[in-house]
Amino acid sequence: MHTAARLAALSLALGAAGIIAPAAAHAQVVIPTAAQSQPVALKGATIHTVTKGTITNGTIVMDRGKIIAIGGADTEVPRGAKVVDVAGKHIYPGLIDAYSTVGISEIGAVDMSNDVNERGDFNPNVRPEVAVNAESRHIGTTRNAGVLVAFATPGGGVISGLSSAISLEGWTWEEMSMKGAAALNVNWPDPNARPRGPFGGPPGGPGGRAGQPAPKTYAEQVEAIRGFFAEARAYRDALKSKQSVRTDSRYAAMIPALNGEIPVVVAAEGVAQINDAITWGKEEGVKLVIRGGRDAIHVAPRLKAEQIPVILTSTMSAPPREDDGYDGAYSSPAALYKAGVKFAIAGDGNALYSYRLPWDAGVAVAFGLPEEEALKAVTINAAEFMGVSDKVGSLEVGKEATLLITTGTPLDMTSNIIQSYIQGREIDMNDIQKQFFKKYMEKINQQKKKIAS
């Protein structure tokens, strides 16, 4: 029996046995929407373009996945368009998570469902988009919170690979892919960390093992990064001069970063880390972005002067040091804004919590960041830093029709996202959390009826 036939027979058997009811099984399936087939006009909402102001009683027209018109109530609507009345609602661009593992990480305790970390220190050729699981349950919960674009980011090692921009809708990774090589990721070593042996302690000491190689010092780790970039640059220059060289996928993946075509995102938290990373980035001549940025405010004058943006992570985290204020992370975005540093806000890279991105930005508003700046931090700023601002990040003619229809700002958890569109597709707003909510509300209702009877 063919696989499809076996699966069909199994489904029928389970349904007949009462293990799954056909209606329940159907309710738990989220089916990707087909590509936009006719123009759609959304009329009557307050449109928050992010880059070109706010339009009251506005109209936005989408066709073939793009925004073709945006303006007031008198905006021309194409003949044959589907007109949707959204009076009293708000329209925002889809939010962007600049640091995510959605689609490449599913269940923490199940290794084979996680495809984030590769073995080895230098893996610049890792491109996570090819490992994206379009069936991931995290995709539904993330996009229903307003996050419609994510940068799938590998981890581990020193150079962990390339971030891939993906739209959170599609049957396959190819359909979801927006930009496969969006940024090169470097994990900067910590100068304050004590050198550790391979078993958690110094070689030959407690927790270590005699005969193991000595751990690298901070200086040696930095020199290894410089050395790898130098080798990649030599490889690039050899190709330019048409020398005969053996193909090396790792060095080839570095070329766009070396040429300044994509940014180098350096994960750095402390003052020394950030300063050393900036110095190194200037020496290498790369387009630098700092990710993490716990102590970025203490380096703010230099970040501003050298126009280096920051992707802030974990704005809802606890203070890392005993003498830090309780609101250190919450107020960091407002402090950077006042200091003139450009920044985006991202989550902590955990796929399970990517849906919290709007509230990562919302808490910054509660602690002093202007709301319009918080919105930029999860839309146009993230798009600009990661090289996709020509496609997403704001509502403009010619950009992808990736947007939200809401009852209020998506940064406030009391607002509801009524409907989302990704590249003009009216997406299914179902997700696993909603399914479980309905399931257990039904349980409560059944118990109430039982008690009443």
Side-chain angles (χ1 to χ4, degrees):
M1 186 183 292
H2 293 297
T3 301
R6 286 201 302 269
L7 290 173
L10 177 61
S11 178
L12 288 171
L14 292 173
I19 296 174
I20 57 171
H26 176 74
Q28 294 186 14
V29 175
V30 177
I31 301 176
T33 307
Q36 186 179 6
S37 59
Q38 70 175 120
V40 175
L42 307 175
K43 293 181 68 68
T46 300
I47 301 174
H48 304 262
T49 68
V50 174
T51 54
K52 297 184 181 298
T54 300
I55 304 170
T56 56
N57 191 21
T59 300
I60 185 166
V61 184
M62 307 174 283
D63 191 21
R64 298 181 182 179
K66 303 281 188 179
I67 297 173
I68 63 169
I70 184 169
D74 59 348
T75 300
E76 184 178 351
V77 176
R79 181 177 297 177
K82 175 184 176 181
V83 178
V84 182
D85 182 4
V86 287
K89 305 300 187 294
H90 297 260
I91 298 178
Y92 290 86
L95 308 186
I96 301 170
D97 191 345
Y99 176 44
S100 175
T101 54
V102 167
I104 58 175
S105 176
E106 197 69 16
I107 304 171
V110 181
D111 287 345
M112 67 177 61
S113 73
N114 295 282
D115 207 352
V116 178
N117 298 329
E118 295 293 329
R119 294 184 180 275
D121 286 338
F122 297 97
N123 297 296
N125 53 319
V126 168
R127 192 161 51 98
E129 66 171 351
V130 301
V132 167
N133 172 22
E135 305 292 336
S136 171
R137 286 183 171 184
H138 299 311
I139 290 176
T141 55
T142 298
R143 70 186 183 187
N144 283 355
V147 183
L148 306 186
V149 176
F151 285 87
T153 303
V158 179
I159 299 179
S160 52
L162 298 161
S163 291
S164 298
I166 58 172
S167 290
L168 298 186
E169 171 74 351
W171 289 97
T172 63
W173 71 264
E174 292 96 337
E175 197 172 328
M176 297 169 71
S177 177
M178 289 178 59
K179 187 174 183 179
L184 181 70
N185 293 276
V186 175
N187 296 312
W188 198 260
D190 185 354
N192 298 317
R194 295 174 60 188
R196 308 297 288 178
F199 296 93
R209 182 178 294 177
Q212 291 293 334
K216 290 182 178 180
T217 64
Y218 174 71
E220 289 172 335
Q221 293 176 70
V222 173
E223 191 56 37
I225 296 174
R226 287 197 175 100
F228 193 86
F229 267 74
E231 292 167 8
R233 190 172 287 105
Y235 178 85
R236 178 201 64 181
D237 294 344
L239 289 178
K240 277 185 179 180
S241 61
K242 297 184 179 180
Q243 296 181 35
S244 178
V245 293
R246 185 175 63 184
T247 300
D248 190 306
S249 61
R250 297 190 307 162
Y251 295 149
M254 298 277 289
I255 293 176
L258 295 174
N259 291 343
E261 297 165 9
I262 62 173
V264 176
V265 178
V266 177
E269 299 284 359
V271 171
Q273 276 185 302
I274 296 172
N275 271 319
D276 287 356
I278 294 173
T279 299
W280 167 82
K282 288 180 65 178
E283 293 171 353
E284 297 289 348
V286 296
K287 187 188 298 182
L288 189 68
V289 177
I290 298 295
R291 188 185 74 226
R294 181 194 67 214
D295 290 339
I297 188 58
H298 302 300
V299 195
R302 189 178 184 191
L303 290 168
K304 179 184 178 182
E306 302 190 25
Q307 298 184 329
I308 296 171
V310 178
I311 298 174
L312 287 171
T313 61
S314 304
T315 59
M316 292 195 290
S317 63
R321 291 177 288 259
E322 290 183 358
D323 57 347
D324 284 347
Y326 80 95
D327 62 343
Y330 312 152
S331 58
S332 178
L336 287 179
Y337 170 67
K338 290 175 183 176
V341 177
K342 290 203 72 175
F343 63 91
I345 293 175
D348 62 0
N350 189 328
L352 181 62
Y353 301 123
S354 281
Y355 72 91
R356 295 180 181 178
L357 177 67
W359 309 323
D360 284 316
V363 75
V365 176
F367 282 80
L369 183 65
E371 185 178 321
E372 60 272 20
E373 295 301 324
L375 184 61
K376 288 178 181 178
V378 288
T379 54
I380 192 62
N381 288 0
E384 287 178 350
F385 300 168
M386 303 296 276
V388 294
S389 59
D390 60 325
K391 298 179 179 180
V392 292
S394 62
L395 299 177
E396 300 178 51
V397 172
K399 288 193 175 185
E400 292 183 359
T402 296
L403 52 87
L404 314 169
I405 302 173
T406 74
T407 59
T409 172
L411 308 187
D412 186 340
M413 62 176 62
T414 64
S415 297
N416 292 322
I417 296 173
I418 298 168
Q419 183 61 57
S420 297
Y421 288 81
I422 295 180
Q423 296 170 350
R425 303 179 180 193
E426 185 178 355
I427 69 170
D428 187 340
M429 298 299 288
N430 195 20
D431 64 53
I432 192 65
Q433 291 181 352
K434 290 180 179 179
Q435 291 164 8
F436 278 124
F437 175 79
K438 291 176 183 177
K439 175 180 177 179
Y440 289 103
M441 282 302 296
E442 177 60 25
K443 178 182 179 181
I444 291 171
N445 291 333
Q446 289 180 14
Q447 289 174 337
K448 286 181 178 179
K449 290 178 182 178
K450 185 176 179 180
I451 293 171
S453 63

